[in-house]
Amino acid sequence: MTSVSLTQKTVSGMFWSFSDSIAGQIIQFIVGLILARILTPSEFGLIGMITVFLAISQSFIDSGFGQALIRKPEASELDYSTVFFFNIIVGVVFFGLFFFLAPPIARFYKEPELQSLTRVLSIILIINSFGLIQRTILTKNIDFKLQTKITVISAIISGSVAIYMALNDFGVWSLVWKSLIGYFLQTLLLWGFSKWRPRFIFSIQSFRELFAFGSKLLVSGLIDTIYRNIYPLIIGKFFSAEELGFYSRADQFNKLPSQNITGAVQRVSYPSLSLVQDEPDKLKSGYKKIISSTMFITFFIMLGMAAVAKAMILVLIGEKWLPAVPYLQLLCLGGMLFPLHAINLNMLKVKGRSDLFLQLEIIKKLLAIPVILAGIFLGINAMLAGMAVLSFVAYFINSFYSGKLINYSVREQVSDVLPTFLIALLVSFAVYSLTFFLDIRQITMLIIQITTGFLLMILFSEITRLKSYLEIKSILMTKIPTHRKRSN
């Protein structure tokens, strides 16, 4: 594949990958806003308690095979079918496990209703296992356009059902059926649109080959999943379902931009950079551009969200969710580095260093132990502040080792993103300062803050001739005339 076609495919894939993530998440976000006005924080908290266990189980079901298949240049039908049947077997095993563990989980949280909720929600594990290969093939081919359609359709239908159920007093079960219907429709549509079908074959040799690479990613992913979900578990166990509801809602606001940007970049950069893994100059050049442009968007959005958090929450979901404001602000500080983590870790996978990937995950998660203890003994805010600090430490660890593989040092990475960070920090501080000088309605405050932030971003970026801003501006300016020409 030539560099031109690779670039075109990557840019197109990035657009549709981000569209897939953001389109589905925006719909889910809007549905969440509506449900947040109908349901209580405690009902959201109950679902948050179960999500911990489902997320860990999902890591076992995939077992890193998806990443191994993407990286393998010529994956065969034997490879795909072997992984397909493995996924289903593990999905069924974990469903049975949670069916019998539901009573102990309910006793752990001291929430009797969790027994039935856990058993029903665990069906998702079986549903998801049937669609993993179809999604992997689409990702390998950098085809996110179809995934976008599937995500949007399933999100609209499942969200509509959930709102109807919530309005008719189904309570927490409206959230349960929202998840079940959403995942079922995604799997059904993947089968409907995808041409791939499994063959009744299974190869031990293929399994071992893929598992040799994927097993380390499995353990790494499992450690990361436990780490990301240990906080809801701690809050649910040592505080209350209501506090977990506040945290979950703040986390949803935080994840809308951070995880969607991260997911889009991660899903596209991995298969794209894998194609030039043996061309050092192209690899480093593409890597630098991805980091620079991604962090321009991420820093401004995440720091901006922290600045407008109070007005945004009051306007969108109401005063009963006001305790979620400080949670959101602290989560944004850590969340803004998620794309950098993902890009650096992707480089380890591109270079085939899943062993180093695993070692770094173990080191970083051991550093999280004091943060978890801070949450138990000092409270939720202390834990979230520790998470933000840990995010910065983890970035330097990731960038040091990934940079060594392509001769892109930590100092060079920091110099590429630091100007953007400083300007974004200045803009967000100015936006936040408006709350001290203006005594107006919250919706007016939110509009003024967002408008001011956008204008200051453009102004400071133009004045300083910020490189990442100029690159994005150049891309947009070249795309707009092309679009108009095609329209005419």
Side-chain angles (χ1 to χ4, degrees):
M1 181 178 288
T2 65
S3 60
V4 175
S5 61
L6 174 62
T7 301
Q8 291 174 341
K9 193 168 187 178
T10 301
V11 171
S12 175
M14 191 77 74
F15 171 78
W16 284 111
S17 177
F18 184 74
S19 298
D20 173 42
S21 296
I22 202 67
Q25 286 295 324
I26 285 178
I27 295 171
Q28 297 277 19
F29 186 72
I30 293 172
V31 170
L33 295 180
I34 297 172
L35 292 174
R37 288 187 171 274
I38 303 171
L39 304 175
T40 66
S42 296
E43 288 168 322
F44 280 92
L46 286 172
I47 298 299
M49 293 173 178
I50 307 171
T51 302
V52 177
F53 301 101
L54 295 181
I56 294 172
S57 302
Q58 192 62 48
S59 295
F60 276 104
I61 294 172
D62 179 65
S63 299
F65 283 116
Q67 300 295 318
L69 287 170
I70 290 172
R71 187 178 182 275
K72 188 174 183 179
E74 299 296 333
S76 66
E77 286 295 324
L78 184 62
D79 294 325
Y80 287 127
S81 294
T82 297
V83 175
F84 174 80
F85 288 112
F86 172 79
N87 289 340
I88 292 178
I89 292 170
V90 179
V92 172
V93 168
F94 272 91
F95 166 74
L97 183 65
F98 279 109
F99 187 88
F100 291 105
L101 288 179
I105 291 174
R107 289 195 297 270
F108 175 79
Y109 285 113
K110 299 179 181 179
E111 294 283 354
E113 194 174 5
L114 282 179
Q115 179 171 325
S116 54
L117 293 174
T118 300
R119 285 175 171 171
V120 174
L121 270 175
S122 61
I123 298 173
I124 290 173
L125 299 175
I126 298 178
I127 295 173
N128 281 347
S129 66
F130 276 89
L132 285 173
I133 293 300
Q134 285 86 346
R135 192 175 291 279
T136 296
I137 293 173
L138 291 175
T139 300
K140 186 180 179 70
N141 295 330
I142 318 180
D143 180 5
F144 295 98
K145 186 174 182 178
L146 179 56
Q147 293 189 56
T148 301
K149 294 177 182 178
I150 291 172
T151 300
V152 169
I153 292 171
S154 59
I156 291 175
I157 295 175
S158 62
S160 300
V161 172
I163 293 171
Y164 173 81
M165 294 182 69
L167 289 171
N168 286 273
D169 300 322
F170 279 85
V172 68
W173 285 98
S174 59
L175 299 175
V176 172
W177 283 102
K178 172 178 170 294
S179 296
L180 283 172
I181 294 172
Y183 286 115
F184 175 77
L185 287 175
Q186 284 188 33
T187 300
L188 184 66
L189 291 171
L190 281 169
W191 275 76
F193 286 115
S194 174
K195 295 180 181 179
W196 183 85
R197 294 293 182 269
R199 297 180 182 177
F200 289 95
I201 49 179
F202 189 95
S203 168
I204 297 297
Q205 182 179 351
S206 174
F207 179 87
R208 288 175 177 172
E209 178 188 348
L210 294 169
F211 193 67
F213 178 81
S215 60
K216 300 179 183 67
L217 296 181
L218 161 64
V219 179
S220 302
L222 185 61
I223 292 172
D224 186 59
T225 300
I226 293 173
Y227 166 74
R228 286 186 286 105
N229 287 278
I230 195 69
Y231 300 107
L233 189 149
I234 294 297
I235 295 171
K237 174 62 178 177
F238 293 97
F239 296 92
S240 66
E242 184 179 47
E243 287 291 343
L244 181 53
F246 292 136
Y247 169 84
S248 299
R249 183 54 41 191
D251 196 38
Q252 186 182 43
F253 275 95
N254 166 62
K255 285 179 178 177
L256 181 63
S258 68
Q259 282 203 349
N260 281 295
I261 294 172
T262 301
V265 172
Q266 195 171 33
R267 288 190 295 172
V268 176
S269 64
Y270 179 48
S272 298
L273 294 176
S274 291
L275 293 173
V276 292
Q277 58 185 286
D278 299 321
E279 301 177 66
D281 292 337
K282 289 183 180 180
L283 188 60
K284 181 178 179 179
S285 175
Y287 192 62
K288 285 169 65 72
K289 288 181 179 180
I290 289 172
I291 284 180
S292 179
S293 57
T294 299
M295 295 317 297
F296 175 85
I297 297 170
T298 306
F299 282 144
F300 278 103
I301 291 179
M302 298 306 294
L303 290 173
M305 182 181 291
V308 305
K310 182 178 179 180
M312 182 175 63
I313 284 181
L314 287 174
V315 170
L316 295 180
I317 54 179
E319 192 171 352
K320 68 180 178 181
W321 293 95
L322 193 59
V325 171
Y327 297 171
L328 174 58
Q329 292 170 327
L330 290 169
L331 285 169
C332 285
L333 294 180
M336 68 181 177
L337 293 182
F338 283 173
L340 271 179
H341 294 313
I343 297 169
N344 277 285
L345 291 175
N346 258 356
M347 185 52 64
L348 298 180
K349 292 189 289 184
V350 167
K351 301 300 288 185
R353 293 302 307 274
S354 58
D355 57 331
L356 183 55
F357 191 112
L358 173 57
Q359 292 171 24
L360 294 184
E361 285 302 300
I362 293 173
I363 292 171
K364 290 180 295 184
K365 273 37 178 187
L366 288 174
L367 294 175
I369 294 175
V371 176
I372 296 170
L373 294 175
I376 296 174
F377 295 106
L378 301 178
I380 299 174
N381 285 328
M383 181 171 68
L384 297 183
M387 288 169 60
V389 172
L390 184 60
S391 183
F392 279 86
V393 174
Y395 162 66
F396 284 102
I397 295 175
N398 291 337
S399 59
F400 175 78
Y401 287 98
S402 64
K404 288 179 66 176
L405 295 176
I406 57 170
N407 193 30
Y408 187 32
S409 67
V410 176
R411 177 179 292 183
E412 194 176 353
Q413 280 198 43
V414 171
S415 67
D416 284 343
V417 301
L418 185 59
T420 301
F421 172 73
L422 293 176
I423 293 175
L425 188 64
L426 178 62
V427 170
S428 62
F429 179 77
V431 169
Y432 180 73
S433 298
L434 293 174
T435 59
F436 299 107
F437 302 106
L438 300 177
D439 185 15
I440 53 180
R441 293 177 60 197
Q442 291 298 324
I443 188 169
T444 307
M445 173 69 77
L446 182 60
I447 294 172
I448 292 175
Q449 285 183 306
I450 293 175
T451 304
T452 301
F454 180 77
L455 294 176
L456 288 177
M457 176 192 72
I458 300 296
L459 177 63
F460 289 143
S461 297
E462 288 283 359
I463 292 174
T464 59
R465 308 302 293 167
L466 190 63
K467 185 177 180 181
S468 54
Y469 164 79
L470 294 176
E471 287 180 352
I472 294 174
K473 179 182 177 181
S474 176
I475 293 173
L476 293 176
M477 294 303 290
T478 56
K479 290 292 182 183
I480 293 174
T482 302
H483 177 72
R484 287 177 177 173
K485 184 177 180 181
R486 288 176 181 173
S487 299
N488 293 333

